[in-house]
Amino acid sequence: MRELKNLMEAVVERENMLNALRRVVSNKGAAGVDAMSVDELKPYLQTHWGCIKEHLLEGSYQPQPVRRVEIPKPGGKGVRKLGVPTVVDRLIQQALHQVLSPLFDPDFSVSSYGFRPGCSAHQALCQAREHVAGGRRWVVDLDLETFFDRVHHDVLMSRVVRKVGDKRVLCLIRRYLKAGIMEGGLISQSIMGMPQGGPLSPLLSNILLDDLDKELERRGHRFCRYADDVNVYVGSRRAGQRVLDSIEKFLARRLHLRVNRQKSAVDRPWKRKFLGYSMTWHKRPRLKVAPLSVKRLKLKLKETFRRGRGRNLGKFIEELALTLRGWINYFRLSEVKGIFEELDGWIRRRLRLIIWRQWKRAYARAKGLMKRGLGESRAWESAANGRGPWWNSGASHMNQAFPKKFFDRLGLVSLLDSVLKFQCNS
């Protein structure tokens, strides 16, 4: 049943636009093809909003192309292509999202957790653990091949039109899909796909993939979906293979989407990762940080540590703390603590490496070690041992001179202490 014929009036309504403006400004973000920054948006609207509003209400508004931005994928394998809309288009998309989300979201599957109010990746992970604990100890890990690049515009719009009766809104959404991409000064037209980067794209992806959710529910499957990450939990490998084959056909026939067979698999949950986590093989499994997530953190931190050479240690640790707090806040559900202790030790060793290199000469190293409480004989012996910086950063003289409490006083975030504190307070 189609809802509300005058949705565009609700989109441009003053309170809705003010909420959208606050959201866009708080999210900041890069400029689009017109080079207008977020800080310039409000003054621009004070002059031009009347004209923009008139075009929206008439159904004649034309979005600008998105600016192509490529960011390295985690782990350095390939790039993720984002499309950055202009700040004005981000504002309009956000206003659309605020009006359309209440129409579609209540009917979405309870097993869909991505980009929905009141839902989170942590809820998806807890539900996945419950499915495995309930005896479904095989997972169908579905990877949709270049999902955002393969969205079929007509298929998507046929899902949007189920609840949107305002032709101006429908035309505007289609214009956003076809707005084109500017790359290297040239604009290419969009005949399929949906740019990642705009406020409306997550909602549109959920609208499209809701058909997949409903099909899995109709078949009685237990699953978790977060955006285009889909895990279906089954009781055997044979059942998993049947699900993979049949869902691949369903996606191709109904949604014109492809399953990436190289990245998809039927396997044990503890051999796969989901949203950066894995789990143990126990009857009552425990969540843990996936090995690839640990590898990605180390790669990111190594680059940070390279920038830390020659800098004040206290200031550098303040910068480091921002990354560590964000990381542990996401991985606080992990019930396997050993990796946090290992990472804490590795981080402290990297900081001791910076200190050792800053001392440069044997005389400065001996004086520095004595200042930190080592005896003169041991300090000189350690300073002149001829070993490399990495060996010395893990040696007993540096551990004694710079113990954990030294870094705690400087504000270094301990991953182990943080996760224990999170779980004690929960």
Side-chain angles (χ1 to χ4, degrees):
M1 177 180 173
R2 296 184 184 181
E3 303 277 356
L4 300 179
K5 298 284 186 177
N6 57 344
L7 280 178
M8 188 59 80
E9 280 74 14
V11 171
V12 300
E13 187 266 329
R14 177 178 172 80
E15 193 60 35
N16 186 58
M17 293 305 305
L18 287 174
N19 289 336
L21 178 62
R22 283 191 285 269
R23 186 68 178 268
V24 170
V25 170
S26 66
N27 287 343
K28 298 183 180 178
V33 295
D34 61 356
M36 186 190 300
S37 69
V38 170
D39 294 334
E40 296 172 289
L41 178 58
K42 190 173 180 179
Y44 178 85
L45 293 173
Q46 288 171 343
T47 304
H48 297 92
W49 171 241
C51 184
I52 295 170
K53 179 180 178 180
E54 183 179 344
H55 285 309
L56 288 169
L57 290 172
E58 289 175 350
S60 60
Y61 180 82
Q62 293 289 341
Q64 295 194 62
V66 298
R67 182 170 64 87
R68 171 70 81 207
V69 175
E70 294 183 350
I71 60 171
K73 286 186 177 180
K77 295 182 179 179
V79 294
R80 178 171 285 112
K81 295 181 178 181
L82 302 181
V84 180
T86 65
V87 289
V88 173
D89 283 326
R90 289 211 292 274
L91 173 73
I92 296 169
Q93 286 193 35
Q94 180 62 38
L96 277 169
H97 183 283
Q98 291 167 183
V99 170
L100 295 178
S101 183
L103 295 181
F104 287 94
D105 191 83
D107 292 331
F108 286 157
S109 169
V110 294
S111 297
S112 168
Y113 296 92
F115 309 112
R116 297 183 59 196
C119 296
S120 68
H122 285 174
Q123 291 175 339
L125 289 160
C126 291
Q127 187 59 66
R129 179 182 57 191
E130 291 306 308
H131 290 328
V132 178
R136 293 172 175 83
R137 296 175 67 80
W138 290 87
V139 63
V140 183
D141 188 352
L142 283 169
D143 183 275
L144 302 182
E145 187 176 285
T146 55
F147 169 70
F148 281 92
D149 293 336
R150 295 196 61 84
V151 170
H152 193 287
H153 293 172
D154 289 340
V155 173
L156 171 58
M157 291 307 299
S158 69
R159 273 66 185 168
V160 177
V161 79
R162 291 171 180 172
K163 292 198 174 185
V164 175
D166 191 324
K167 291 183 179 180
R168 296 166 299 176
V169 172
L170 294 171
C171 288
L172 182 58
I173 293 172
R174 188 176 281 275
R175 284 173 186 157
Y176 274 120
L177 293 174
K178 295 187 175 295
I181 299 166
M182 179 174 283
E183 191 170 12
L186 299 175
I187 297 175
S188 58
Q189 296 303 311
S190 303
I191 57 174
M192 67 184 303
M194 180 170 58
Q196 288 179 268
L200 198 55
S201 295
L203 176 61
L204 294 178
S205 68
N206 276 335
I207 291 171
L208 181 63
L209 291 175
D210 188 56
D211 274 26
L212 171 61
D213 298 340
K214 295 298 191 290
E215 179 65 14
L216 291 171
E217 288 176 343
R218 187 185 68 79
R219 299 181 185 188
H221 291 308
R222 300 291 185 269
F223 69 98
C224 294
R225 182 176 69 80
Y226 191 95
D228 57 336
D229 286 333
V230 188
N231 275 8
V232 186
Y233 297 89
V234 295
S236 68
R237 180 185 287 276
R238 181 176 293 180
Q241 196 60 54
R242 285 198 303 268
V243 170
L244 179 58
D245 293 340
S246 62
I247 291 300
E248 182 178 24
K249 293 175 184 175
F250 171 83
L251 287 168
R253 185 179 68 255
R254 288 281 296 275
L255 301 181
H256 294 212
L257 297 172
R258 291 181 186 173
V259 170
N260 187 332
R261 278 284 185 163
Q262 289 186 328
K263 294 184 179 180
S264 300
V266 178
D267 208 339
R268 296 293 195 180
W270 46 90
K271 293 183 180 179
R272 306 294 295 180
K273 72 175 181 69
F274 180 51
L275 302 178
Y277 280 77
S278 186
M279 61 181 74
T280 65
W281 51 266
H282 300 90
K283 187 173 182 180
R284 181 73 186 175
R286 292 178 290 166
L287 292 172
K288 66 177 185 178
V289 184
L292 186 58
S293 299
V294 176
K295 182 180 178 182
R296 288 173 178 170
L297 175 66
K298 284 189 170 183
L299 285 172
K300 183 175 182 178
L301 290 180
K302 281 180 180 178
E303 181 59 36
T304 305
F305 283 124
R306 276 192 284 271
R307 297 198 304 269
R309 297 174 185 175
R311 292 180 56 188
N312 175 274
L313 192 65
K315 295 289 185 183
F316 176 69
I317 286 176
E318 286 180 14
E319 178 186 326
L320 188 65
L322 296 175
T323 299
L324 297 178
R325 284 196 187 96
W327 192 85
I328 197 59
N329 184 57
Y330 182 73
F331 286 105
R332 67 181 185 268
L333 293 187
S334 177
E335 299 159 281
V336 178
K337 309 296 190 300
I339 189 60
F340 299 124
E341 188 173 8
E342 178 188 324
L343 282 169
D344 278 344
W346 180 82
I347 291 166
R348 288 194 294 270
R349 185 171 181 178
R350 284 276 168 181
L351 291 170
R352 294 184 188 109
L353 176 64
I354 290 174
I355 296 169
W356 186 262
R357 281 178 165 155
Q358 286 178 346
W359 282 339
K360 294 184 179 178
R361 300 182 182 279
Y363 176 82
R365 288 167 179 166
K367 290 295 185 183
L369 290 172
M370 284 187 280
K371 193 174 180 180
R372 294 294 307 160
L374 269 68
E376 184 176 358
S377 175
R378 188 178 177 211
W380 278 106
E381 182 182 348
S382 299
N385 61 30
R387 301 273 193 166
W390 181 245
W391 185 91
N392 276 286
S393 67
S396 60
H397 53 269
M398 285 297 283
N399 278 275
Q400 182 179 334
F402 299 96
K404 179 180 180 297
K405 61 184 179 182
F406 168 82
F407 297 108
D408 288 344
R409 285 197 297 269
L410 288 177
L412 179 64
V413 173
S414 166
L415 300 177
L416 180 60
D417 292 349
S418 297
V419 78
L420 291 174
K421 183 178 179 182
F422 274 130
Q423 294 179 358
C424 283
N425 292 337
S426 62

